[in-house]
Each structure stands twice: as C-alpha cells, then as structure tokens.
Amino acid sequence: MATSAHTAPPGRTAASRRAALRALALAGVLSGVTLSALPPTAVAAARTPETYALTIRHLDRQGAATDAYRTHVTGISGPGASEAVTPHDDSGTVTVRLPRGRYLLDSTVDGREEGSGTDWIVQPRLDLDRDTTVTVDARTTAPVDVRPRDGKARFLSSLGFVEVTHGGTTRSANVLAAPGLRIAHLGPDAEPGSVREWFDTYWAGETTDYALGYTFTSSRALTGLVRHPAPSSLATTVEVRRAAPKGETGTAFVSVQPGAGPTVGISQPLRPRGTATVLVTPERGRWNVEYEGPAAPGTKPNRYAVNGLAVRAGATTAHTFDNPVFGPALDTAPGARPAGVRDGAALSLDVPLLADGEGHAPSAPRFHTATTTLHRNGVLIGTHRGEPGRGTFTTTPGAASYRLTATATRGDGTAPAGRATAAWTFTSAATARPAALPLGTVRFAPALGLDGTAPAGARVRVPVTVQGAAAGSGARSLTVSVSTDDGTTWTRVPVADGRAVFRNPAAGRSVSLRAELTDTKGDTLTQTLTDAYRTR
C-alpha cells in the first residue's frame, strides 16, 4: 500500500513545514488599516479572508465512490498560501472552505482488495477563486512500470516526488509505493517548467543491484511512466569495495542514492573484502555513495561519503573504503573550506588526518591518541588533544614564523597501529577577514589488495600527489623517503613522473613513508606515515 504526504523542500521535515505554515497563518495581519476606525463587524471581516467551498469527489477504478483515499491540499500563493489541509469523509465526497489562492492537490486512492494497487493523482494547479468541485478519478491513471531487464531482480522500494513552484514559492508532495502504482495528472496545465517530478525505484539482483531514477520538468504532473532500461543504455556501474586490513570482521553497509532531491536510496550489507555493484541511471544526475564500517559495541560507526558522483552510461566508477594508506587529505572540490584558516588573531586547523587510501574522510576515525600543537617563532602557543587534525589557537597579530603539527596514532583505542604526522611551517600575520593558511598534503597511492598489503620484494612505482597550496603555486622541492623498520631509519628514494620508485621488503614487513615538501614561497611540509602498509 502506498502512502502520500506533503513534504517541505529538501532539508526540512513535513512536521516542521506544517508547524511553520500554522505559525504563518496565525501571524497574518491586515496592514494599512486603522482598526479603531472600523466597527466590530468590519474588523472581524477584515481579519477573516474570503473563503470558497472546495468539494472533492473520490472515485475508485470501478467509478464508485470510495472512502479509501488520502487527499492533501496545500496552499502555494495568494491569501491561502499558508493553508495545508487533509480533508476526509467516509462518503467519498468532502468539502472544505479555503481562502482564495493557488493550491497543490494530491490524492492516493487504494484498491478495494489487498494488493490491488494504488492510484496517485496530482493536480499541480488548483486556482480557487470561486466555489469549486474537483473529481479525483482513479480510472484516469496509467501504470508506473520502472524496472531493470533482470528477471531475477527483486523490488525493494520506490518513491515518487513532485514539486510545484508559483509566485516564488515551492510546495511538494510524494508517494511511497509498491508495484502496481498508477498515476495521473489532474486539472489545467500550470506554467511551463513550474512542475518538477521524479521517480526513483530500487531493485536487488543476484549479483547486481539497481537504482533507477528519472526526472521530468513540465507544466503537468505525469500520467503513467514506463522504463525498462537495458544495462548497456543505463548504466554506469558503481562498485564499492570493502577493505579489511589485518583481518577485520563485522558487518559494513553501503548505500547509493541520487544526489538531488529526497529519495529512499538503496542500502546493503557488505562482507569483509566484498564488493557491492549497483547500476544507476545517468538521467538522474549525480549520485551519492556512503559507506559505514563495522563498529564495536558502544562506539560510533565510522562513515565515509562520496557526494556528487558524476556518472555516464557504460562507465564503471569504483571506490574502495577503509584501505591504506591512511594519512592527511584535503578537500579539493571547488569552494571547499580550507583546512587551515587565519581569522584575526585566531588560527585553526581542520584536516582529516586519517583519511583512507582514496582520500575518503572518516566521520569517526579510529585513533589511539591525537595531538595538535602550534609554535610561534619557536615558542609553544598551545596544544590540543583528542581530535585528529583539529585545533584552534589564539596568537598575536604581528607577522611571525609558525610551526603547526598534527599527529594521530591509528588504532581502536587499545592497540596502536601506525602513526600519521604532518608538520607545516609558514609565515602568518593577523587578517581583517578569514584567510586560508598555506597548507598542503602529500598523498601516496600504492596498489594494495583489500587486505591492505602489497607483494613482498616487488619493485613498485607508488603515485605521489601534492594537494593544497603547493599544488597551486608549485613545489620548489619534494623528497620521499622509505623506512622498513617502523621509522627507525629512512632511505631517500627517487621520484620520477609523479611516482616514488623503490622495492618492497620481505613478507610480513611494514613500509613507512615520509614526504618533505617546500613550495615556491618557502612554506614547508614534513609528513610521516609509519606502518603505512604491509607486505605479503
């Protein structure tokens, strides 16, 4: 059985929207009138907007009156813009009085028998300027049939959503539906482009899942929707791989959903070193992927998110979560907040110090200890503990040389497992407005199995990527060193064509990595990652 409910624009709940609408209705006042000059009857009339009778008749698929309906009427513009009602009468015909204005009406009508399906009828333009009768007739609907060409795929869930905009205000409605949903437009056309509608449906196959979403912009709501996409025409493949270094166990979860608009998404458990494959529709735009790692009792699960993933038909996009090398990473997306900021006399750092091998920032990094310190002209300003890569310090306004150091020891809180340290030096002075600090990081991307290991004794060419200030202004120098004794001794290795070249140690040993970077302005970074990965 489907359910239908009005929802606010993305980011607000229906309950908060309805509360806001009620508050707006109560707060309405008559402006430009001197109330003391009006007789009591005129005052009452001025405070009460003129209303009209809206009568709604509900007919099922046999054309008979039915009480198995849920109808919502929501004001969009005019004096009735704040109204939201859900009228019902067992006779199938219900009348409500509402102020003049533009309204959105949507109604679900259920079949007489269990499993006989649901009809969703949407009238995006209901102009109430006189007493009006509307007939919601299930016989006008056409089927929604969106499914993959996979006879063994199993239906999971589906969501239909419509947004209507008029006079600068947007209202919405939605339906959660099982197979058998039928839909129809009701009433006159709205303005061109004022109706946005999308349907998302999710299916589970034996080896592949499906997330099928379609969007439409028009002057009308949809009447029926049929899509049976072929894998070749769909379908970007989103592969999510779960690493399990050092034999980690427990259940992880991966979810895939469209990046725009409300939706239910698809979620599934992922075994250690397993892969989830989801076919998605490029027509739905960008997609979001979220990975939630296993968590011990009493601890928060660690989540990684990849948002705004661009997809195209026939391509494969793969993401591996929770695999080494763990280390600092910057958000390089346009408009992203800088990792370090100077604001007046305050200097702050917020950098994911234990991002995984692909740079996914963790929501709850597993660490044993974490320390962030700031020195000014060699004098300690302050120390923060407990949050990897985070700290805010108050210093003095004048220009000075600073050393900012962040260290975190990986682990579950009981057994340390490697350490990440980044130490930056730069010159800074007080600013009139927030300004980015000239910080950078170095990312290492060795080819590792899902157990976090690389072949012993192999000659490797490890990609090295500079992020941040030095990537923009250029690096004056970059050196890479390798240790195979947990950082006791270091050996400088050549870097050619953006890759560090060296030979892995014998099986069961760890490889530690160090980068020393100087940009063209003289700012430096020394980054050390002990026990970065191991050999097999």
Side-chain angles (χ1 to χ4, degrees), residues 115-455:
S116 59
T118 296
D119 299 280
W120 188 40
I121 299 169
V122 177
Q123 181 165 345
R125 178 177 182 174
L126 173 56
D127 292 320
L128 192 62
D129 54 7
R130 67 197 70 181
D131 291 348
T132 301
T133 297
V134 171
T135 299
V136 173
D137 191 342
R139 295 172 297 178
T140 65
T141 61
V144 172
D145 184 9
V146 179
R147 52 187 168 86
R149 297 185 187 181
D150 180 350
K152 296 182 179 180
R154 175 174 52 87
F155 174 82
L156 297 176
S157 61
S158 181
L159 174 70
F161 193 91
V162 63
E163 284 184 344
V164 181
T165 300
H166 184 256
T169 299
T170 298
R171 298 291 186 248
S172 60
N174 66 69
V175 63
L176 289 168
L181 176 69
R182 297 170 64 93
I183 60 176
H185 169 87
L186 177 63
D189 288 4
E191 290 73 17
S194 65
V195 181
R196 294 185 62 227
E197 190 166 2
W198 53 87
F199 266 86
D200 299 326
T201 184
Y202 303 93
W203 298 73
E206 290 187 334
T207 59
T208 300
D209 292 339
Y210 302 86
L212 311 179
Y214 298 92
T215 62
F216 307 88
T217 301
S218 177
S219 60
R220 299 170 59 86
L222 291 173
T223 296
L225 177 63
V226 178
R227 294 289 189 276
H228 302 153
S232 59
S233 63
L234 266 181
T236 297
T237 303
V238 179
E239 289 187 355
V240 179
R241 297 191 291 259
R242 175 193 172 181
K246 299 185 178 180
E248 292 178 0
T249 59
T251 301
F253 292 89
V254 59
S255 65
V256 177
Q257 63 182 22
T263 186
V264 292
I266 186 171
S267 180
Q268 63 171 283
L270 195 58
R271 67 184 187 280
R273 304 178 193 174
T275 298
T277 302
V278 184
L279 295 182
V280 305
T281 45
E283 294 92 331
R284 190 60 170 85
R286 294 178 179 266
W287 291 77
N288 295 342
V289 177
E290 184 176 287
Y291 172 90
E292 180 182 298
T299 64
K300 293 181 179 179
N302 185 28
R303 295 184 175 93
Y304 298 102
V306 180
N307 294 325
L309 185 64
V311 300
R312 61 185 178 86
T316 297
T317 302
H319 283 270
T320 302
F321 292 94
D322 251 354
N323 215 26
V325 170
F326 295 94
L330 302 184
D331 187 347
T332 58
R337 186 181 186 278
V341 175
R342 179 71 185 259
D343 188 1
L347 189 151
S348 61
L349 177 71
D350 187 359
V351 57
L353 202 61
L354 296 176
D356 71 8
E358 292 190 0
H360 306 125
S363 66
R366 298 292 178 248
F367 67 96
H368 190 73
T369 58
T371 303
T372 303
T373 62
L374 179 67
H375 288 77
R376 181 182 185 274
N377 290 337
V379 177
L380 179 65
I381 297 296
T383 300
H384 287 273
R385 293 183 172 84
E387 293 184 288
R390 291 185 176 181
T392 299
F393 306 89
T394 300
T395 181
T396 53
S401 296
Y402 288 90
R403 180 179 178 85
L404 181 60
T405 304
T407 297
T409 303
R410 302 195 318 274
D412 60 2
T414 58
R419 184 174 59 206
T421 299
W424 298 273
T425 66
F426 52 89
T427 300
S428 178
T431 59
R433 59 181 58 88
L437 297 175
L439 307 184
T441 63
V442 175
R443 300 289 302 167
F444 296 98
L448 302 177
L450 292 181
D451 60 353
T453 67

